[in-house]
Amino acid sequence: MKALLPKCGLPKDERFEAFAVSALVCPGAGQCMAGRWAVGLFFGISFTVAFLALAALTLWPLLNNFGHRLVSLLSGVPPPLQTYHVRWIVFSLVLVTVIYLLNVLDAWWQTRRASHA
């Protein structure tokens, strides 16, 4: 990881590494780098599940309506279109954002405590 960072901007403490990996590579990876496997796996799995829920809630009606439009062009019968569940999409988006921010803050503060102890 240190080889990828520029030499002049490389901080001396380990919290920047954990912060950067959790923020830019994968949520929970910074915690795993610091040896906190349970917390890292929790953040990684919960972020992935929440993000997949957001993607499914956003993309499924679009793809479903596209398939229905294609079938209606072939058969001539217009099917009912599926609507978006905006409340669930907003809830999933907020959940993904909260998990991501908690992950980054946890990587920064917990590594800071460990490096100062």
Side-chain angles (χ1 to χ4, degrees):
M1 177 67 193
K2 291 182 182 181
L4 298 176
L5 297 173
K7 300 291 182 207
C8 61
L10 188 63
K12 301 296 182 203
D13 60 356
E14 298 168 354
R15 69 179 168 173
F16 176 75
E17 243 180 73
F19 172 78
V21 170
S22 279
L24 301 175
V25 177
C26 178
Q31 286 86 351
C32 290
M33 275 182 46
R36 301 173 57 225
W37 289 96
V39 176
L41 288 174
F42 169 75
F43 279 123
I45 291 170
S46 62
F47 180 83
T48 302
V49 168
F51 185 77
L52 287 176
L54 176 65
L57 288 169
T58 306
L59 294 177
W60 179 252
L62 178 70
L63 296 174
N64 195 18
N65 289 340
F66 177 74
H68 284 313
R69 287 291 181 190
L70 188 61
V71 168
S72 72
L73 285 175
L74 297 175
S75 67
V77 178
L81 296 178
Q82 187 176 0
T83 60
Y84 283 99
H85 300 287
V86 178
R87 289 183 192 162
W88 286 108
I89 292 174
V90 170
F91 175 74
S92 293
L93 181 63
V94 168
L95 187 63
V96 165
T97 305
V98 166
I99 291 171
Y100 179 78
L101 291 176
L102 286 175
N103 161 57
V104 171
L105 290 173
D106 181 69
W108 181 263
W109 287 107
Q110 292 298 325
T111 308
R112 180 177 179 202
R113 284 188 202 155
S115 65
H116 287 302

